[in-house]
C-alpha cells in the first residue's frame, strides 16, 4: 500500500511538471528555460531557427491539437537510438509512437524495410533474445544509446505466445489470441515454455541494464505506464525529450504530445478503423477532450480530410485488436518463478530507482494473481 501511494505521488509530481510546462508554452513568448525538473525541455528556439528542419509528421495545431500524416527518412545522417524490448512488449506500438513524435522513420535490426540505419531515428531490436541473423554485433557500433521498453512477463510472454500461435496457424498478425488449451501446452513446454522465456527475459534485462553504465545513454520505460491513461502522455514526453537530444531530431511541440499519444496509443477508446484512414482511426476523437490540464481543456484535433495509409504504414495502425481469451492461467510454481526472477533483478540493480520502481509494480501484480491448478 505504501509503494502504491509512492507511485501515485510520483505521478502527481510528473503531471504537475507537465502542466506547468505546457502552461508556460502557451502563455509565454519566450522559450522555456532548461531545467532538470522540467521533463519536457522543448528547446523551442532550436526548433524555430531552421525552417528546413521542421518536421512534417503530427503537425502541431493550436490548443494542443495535432494531425498525423507520414514520417520519412532523415534528409541527413543522424545517430540512431536502439529501441529494445522483449518480444510481446509493444515494440510495434512504440515504433509508431516514435515516428509520430519525431517525423522520422524507424527501422528494425533486420532492416526489413530497407531504410538502412543512418537516416532513421530508432531501430527496433529484441537482442539478445533474437540476434537479427547474427548481425547485431556489426550494427551495435553505430549506436551509443538506447530506450528500453519493459513489460511484465505475466503479460509479455502470453503476447509473444499469441504472435507465435498466429504464425503457426497462418493467421493475420495481431488478430487472434490462442485458446487457453494451446497456451497451457506452450506454458508447460520444456523447450520454449514459460521457464525458458523467463530465462531469456532475465538475460534481456541484464544485458541492457549493464550495457550503458552512463544512464544518460539509457531511457528505461514501462509498457504499463506508456499505455496508462494518466501516465501515458507523460512517458511520451520523456521519449520525445530523450530523442530530441540527438542532433537532427526535432520532435513535435510539447503541448501537442498528448494528442499524438491519444492518436497512436489510446486508439482502443475509439472505434477501430474501417478503411485504413487516420480519420477512421480517430473516429469521434475530434469531439473528445483529454481532460483539464492546469485549468485548460485540450481538444483533440485531426485532419478533416482522411489520409489513406499507404503500404508499409507503421503508425496510426492499431497494434493489437486480437480476439480471444485475455486472461492466462498460471500455476503457483509459475508465479513463484516470476517473483524469484524479479527479486534477483531488484537486488542486482538496486542502484537504479526507475528500474526498481518498475520491478516493484510487477511484483505487486504477480502477488495479486490467483494461481490455478494445471
Amino acid at each position: 500500500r505504501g509503494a502504491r501511494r509512492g507511485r501515485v505521488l510520483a505521478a502527481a509530481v510528473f503531471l504537475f511538471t507537465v502542466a506547468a510546462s505546457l502552461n508556460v508554452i502557451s502563455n509565454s513568448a519566450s522559450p522555456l528555460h532548461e531545467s532538470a525538473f522540467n521533463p519536457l525541455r522543448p528547446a523551442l528556439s532550436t526548433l524555430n531557427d531552421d525552417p528546413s528542419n521542421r518536421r512534417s509528421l503530427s503537425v502541431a495545431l493550436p490548443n494542443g491539437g495535432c494531425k498525423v500524416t507520414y514520417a520519412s527518412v532523415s534528409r541527413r545522417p543522424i545517430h540512431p537510438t536502439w529501441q529494445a524490448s522483449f518480444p510481446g512488449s509493444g515494440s510495434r506500438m512504440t515504433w509508431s509512437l516514435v515516428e509520430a513524435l519525431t517525423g522520422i522513420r524507424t527501422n528494425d535490426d533486420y532492416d526489413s524495410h530497407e531504410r538502412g540505419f543512418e537516416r532513421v531515428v530508432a531501430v527496433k531490436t529484441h537482442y539478445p533474445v533474437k540476434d537479427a541473423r547474427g548481425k547485431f554485433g556489426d550494427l551495435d557500433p553505430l549506436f551509443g544509446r538506447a530506450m528500453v521498453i519493459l513489460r511484465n512477463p505475466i503479460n509479455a510472454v502470453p503476447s509473444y505466445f499469441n504472435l507465435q500461435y498466429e504464425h503457426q496457424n497462418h493467421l493475420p498478425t495481431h488478430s487472434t489470441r490462442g485458446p487457453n488449451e494451446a497456451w497451457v501446452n506452450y506454458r508447460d513446454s520444456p523447450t520454449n515454455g514459460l521457464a525458458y522465456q523467463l530465462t531469456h527475459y532475465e538475460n534481456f534485462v541484464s544485458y541492457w541494464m549493464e550495457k550503458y553504465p552512463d544512464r544518460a545513454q539509457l531511457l528505461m520505460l514501462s509498457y504499463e505506464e506508456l499505455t496508462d491513461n494518466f501516465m501515458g502522455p507523460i512517458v511520451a514526453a520523456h521519449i520525445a525529450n530523450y530523442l530530441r537530444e540527438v542532433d537532427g531530431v526535432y520532435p513535435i511541440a510539447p503541448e501537442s504530445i498528448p494528442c499524438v499519444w491519444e492518436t497512436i496509443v489510446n486508439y482502443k477508446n475509439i472505434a477501430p478503423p474501417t478503411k485504413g484512414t487516420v480519420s477512421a482511426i480517430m473516429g469521434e476523437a475530434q469531439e473528445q477532450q483529454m481532460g483539464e490540464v492546469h485549468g485548460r481543456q485540450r481538444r483533440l484535433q485531426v485532419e478533416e480530410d482522411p489520409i489513406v495509409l499507404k503500404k508499409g504504414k507503421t503508425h496510426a495502425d492499431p497494434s493489437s485488436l486480437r480476439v480471444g481469451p485475455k486472461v492466462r492461467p498460471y500455476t503457483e510454481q509459475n508465479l513463484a518463478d516470476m517473483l524469484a526472477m524479479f527479486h534477483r533483478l531488484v537486488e542486482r540493480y538496486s542502484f537504479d530507482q526507475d528500474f526498481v520502481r518498475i520491478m516493484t509494480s510487477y511484483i505487486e501484480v504477480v502477488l495479486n494473481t490467483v494461481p490455478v491448478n494445471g
Side-chain angles (χ1 to χ4, degrees):
R1 193 175 292 178
R4 186 183 293 111
R5 282 197 298 269
R7 290 196 301 275
V8 172
L9 179 60
V13 171
F14 278 132
L15 184 61
F16 173 79
T17 303
V18 173
S21 301
L22 297 180
N23 190 52
V24 171
I25 294 170
S26 61
N27 294 313
S28 173
S30 60
L32 289 176
H33 296 289
E34 289 260 320
S35 170
F37 179 68
N38 178 10
L40 297 178
R41 299 202 318 250
L44 295 179
S45 59
T46 302
L47 287 175
N48 293 326
D49 284 344
D50 185 359
S52 67
N53 286 331
R54 291 307 299 266
R55 55 189 318 290
S56 59
L57 180 69
S58 303
V59 179
L61 298 177
N63 302 318
C66 66
K67 56 182 181 181
V68 177
T69 55
Y70 295 102
S72 59
V73 295
S74 175
R75 285 173 288 183
R76 62 186 180 87
I78 56 177
H79 292 291
T81 297
W82 281 124
Q83 179 197 308
S85 62
F86 185 82
S89 300
S91 60
R92 182 179 178 184
M93 175 194 70
T94 309
W95 189 353
S96 302
L97 180 63
V98 166
E99 288 195 348
L101 290 170
T102 65
I104 303 175
R105 281 292 198 182
T106 55
N107 203 355
D108 58 35
D109 49 6
Y110 288 88
D111 195 17
S112 300
H113 299 276
E114 299 181 345
R115 297 169 187 156
F117 303 101
E118 296 183 347
R119 295 178 185 270
V120 295
V121 66
V123 175
K124 182 186 75 173
T125 183
H126 295 312
Y127 189 85
V129 181
K130 297 181 179 181
D131 189 9
R133 304 187 186 97
K135 296 181 179 179
F136 182 88
D138 295 331
L139 291 176
D140 192 47
L142 298 174
F143 299 76
R145 62 210 310 267
M147 57 179 184
V148 179
I149 299 90
L150 299 176
R151 187 182 187 184
N152 195 327
I154 202 170
N155 295 314
V157 174
S159 181
Y160 188 30
F161 155 74
N162 290 331
L163 182 63
Q164 296 175 75
Y165 180 86
E166 289 165 341
H167 288 171
Q168 292 168 2
N169 291 275
H170 309 289
L171 299 169
T173 303
H174 296 283
S175 66
T176 307
R177 299 185 189 93
N180 272 334
E181 294 82 359
W183 157 252
V184 170
N185 290 335
Y186 174 87
R187 182 198 70 190
D188 297 341
S189 169
T191 57
N192 66 342
L194 180 64
Y196 177 85
Q197 298 300 337
L198 289 180
T199 298
H200 278 290
Y201 186 94
E202 186 169 359
N203 291 339
F204 169 85
V205 171
S206 296
Y207 175 82
W208 291 101
M209 286 296 292
E210 296 172 14
K211 184 173 179 61
Y212 298 111
D214 181 358
R215 280 306 186 256
Q217 298 173 284
L218 179 68
L219 178 64
M220 186 69 62
L221 309 168
S222 85
Y223 172 90
E224 290 78 10
E225 290 181 344
L226 181 57
T227 56
D228 180 77
N229 285 334
F230 180 73
M231 288 298 297
I234 300 172
V235 176
H238 280 290
I239 293 174
N241 208 41
Y242 183 67
L243 295 174
R244 183 181 286 113
E245 296 171 359
V246 178
D247 187 32
V249 178
Y250 305 93
I252 195 168
E255 66 176 11
S256 291
I257 289 175
C259 175
V260 173
W261 180 87
E262 286 281 355
T263 306
I264 302 298
V265 179
N266 208 29
Y267 64 84
K268 288 185 178 180
N269 287 341
I270 305 156
T274 57
K275 296 183 179 180
T277 66
V278 171
S279 295
I281 291 172
M282 290 304 294
E284 299 299 321
Q286 291 169 302
E287 302 303 323
Q288 294 179 353
Q289 293 181 332
M290 264 207 63
E292 191 165 351
V293 179
H294 202 70
R296 296 190 299 129
Q297 295 288 333
R298 300 193 172 279
R299 183 174 298 278
L300 298 180
Q301 299 183 31
V302 296
E303 289 193 295
E304 294 180 359
D305 297 325
I307 304 173
V308 177
L309 298 181
K310 301 176 182 177
K311 183 178 180 181
K313 63 184 180 295
T314 57
H315 61 271
D317 188 3
S319 60
S320 182
L321 294 176
R322 288 186 172 116
V323 295
K326 293 184 178 181
V327 178
R328 298 302 189 184
Y330 287 100
T331 67
E332 188 172 350
Q333 185 61 52
N334 294 153
L335 299 176
D337 290 343
M338 281 188 243
L339 288 173
M341 179 192 67
F342 292 143
H343 286 298
R344 286 193 300 270
L345 290 170
V346 167
E347 183 177 359
R348 194 178 307 160
Y349 306 113
S350 58
F351 59 86
D352 191 304
Q353 294 183 355
D354 282 340
F355 178 76
V356 171
R357 174 180 55 79
I358 293 170
M359 289 296 108
T360 300
S361 70
Y362 292 174
I363 289 172
E364 183 177 359
V365 169
V366 173
L367 286 174
N368 289 326
T369 299
V370 178
V372 298
N373 296 322

